Amino acid sequence: MIGENMDSSRVLVTGGAGFIGSSLVEQLLKNGSKVVIIDNLSRGKLDNLSEVSNYSVEGGNLRILVGDCCDPELLEQAYSEFGGFDSIHHLAAINGTKWFDEIPTEIIELSIDSTRILIDYARLCDSKFVFYSSPEAYGENPNQPLGVQSNSVFSNPQTHQRHSYGASKYLCEVLVQSACKSGLRAAIVRPFNVYGERLPGGQYGQVVSIFLHLIKNKEDLIVHGNGGQSRSFTYIDDIVSGLISIEKAEPANGFAKAYNLGSASEITILELAKLCIDVTDSGKSIEIIHGDGYNGDSASRLAEFGEYEREIDWIAPTSLRDGLSKVWSSISGN
Ligand SMILES: NC(=O)c1ccc[n+]([C@@H]2O[C@H](COP(=O)([O-])OP(=O)(O)OC[C@H]3O[C@@H](n4cnc5c(N)ncnc54)[C@H](O)[C@@H]3O)[C@@H](O)[C@H]2O)c1
């Protein structure tokens, strides 16, 4: 039964079978929203949606469309599922740092083309548009913390193409801000190094999950360079609570508010490796090795807690130690 506080909004989530998308979808469904997912399952998995599979039965509130989020037929089908959308969360992108320098053309193409197409689609559907950018959109800006007034700093593309990801996110923000001038209602989200149970590990994964999976396999941890680069890691449940507040917030007129969702504490990658070893109690068997890093890695990435985050009353209460323990229980099965 739908209670009084339940939300009956209709939401399209591109990339909804991915790490962040699937957690967002779960919460939207719990809140009473009707959700359509478009995901080509290139990195996402239907398993990520197993906890909400009961919503996808006939007459339920979830529809999963497998395919490209730029496919016009799929977008038409998505529209017809619940008769349009109140909001569109555009998460589909190629994530995983190792890809950024390896397949820059694909990264840029998907990022720019899909955002342009989905902005037009949001206009047609008269929907609010929530674009998932990244702190990588600031490039290698050495001035921290990163806030609304911070600039983007990118290195020479002749040396490496890692910024295919961050620079294309930057350009997508330009597309969104420009569309807002002609009436689009939109918000921009920049999640700061999110980690959680479904974060992919392996060589194309992200650092927290890479470390914890290496520990599970009793392999040593490789930190890039001296490991002195720092990040603010943010637990997935804290991110989702921010996303739900952004979903409910009224967009600004004429521009998109950009929310930097990042925990207030910063830690170096070397310290993170040590903490992972400590949390998993594997100090006797695992060593830390120093290896080559990625080109264009920023030395630091800390979110500024600003006006927009205050407006939605957002904080990230989960400590890194507690968050890592939760993820480790899930990975190790203990
Ligand atoms: N995880 C983070 O820490 C983080 C930080 C900053 C920004 N972001 C952004 O948040 C969004 C979600 O990130 P994530 O970590 O959940 O990544 P993810 O890779 O788990 O999710 C992206 C999803 O998009 C899907 N996808 C890729 N190409 C597609 C296409 N052409 N059509 C349809 N679906 C497609 C993938 O299968 C995947 O399920 C991305 O836009 C990412 O850039 C994530």
Side-chain angles (χ1 to χ4, degrees), residues 220-292:
D220 293 335
L221 305 188
I222 302 164
V223 302
H224 293 167
N226 67 5
Q229 60 280 39
S230 61
R231 299 288 182 267
S232 47
F233 292 95
T234 318
Y235 186 56
I236 183 70
D237 290 3
D238 297 342
I239 289 289
V240 169
S241 81
L243 300 178
I244 295 295
S245 300
I246 291 165
E247 160 65 14
K248 290 179 180 160
E250 196 47 45
N253 271 329
F255 72 100
K257 290 180 183 171
Y259 298 88
N260 281 357
L261 300 185
S263 104
S265 57
E266 210 178 2
I267 183 171
T268 67
I269 300 300
L270 182 58
E271 286 166 347
L272 173 74
K274 289 178 183 165
L275 185 58
C276 286
I277 289 173
D278 190 36
V279 163
T280 57
D281 203 13
S282 48
K284 293 198 181 78
S285 49
I286 306 289
E287 289 194 13
I288 296 173
I289 296 169
H290 294 267
D292 289 340

Side-chain angles (χ1 to χ4, degrees), residues 18-20 39-40 42-44 69 91 95 133 165 169 191 194:
F19 164 52
I20 298 180
D39 196 306
N40 67 1
S42 54
R43 197 164 187 249
C69 64
L91 287 84
N95 203 359
S133 183
Y165 177 81
K169 290 284 188 190
V194 191

Side-chain angles (χ1 to χ4, degrees), residues 56-67:
S56 62
V57 293
E58 210 183 322
N61 277 356
L62 174 63
R63 302 283 183 277
I64 303 170
L65 306 181
V66 176

Side-chain angles (χ1 to χ4, degrees), residues 172-185:
C172 289
E173 290 196 26
V174 173
L175 288 172
V176 173
Q177 295 293 4
S178 162
C180 286
K181 284 190 184 159
S182 53
L184 182 77
R185 294 175 303 116

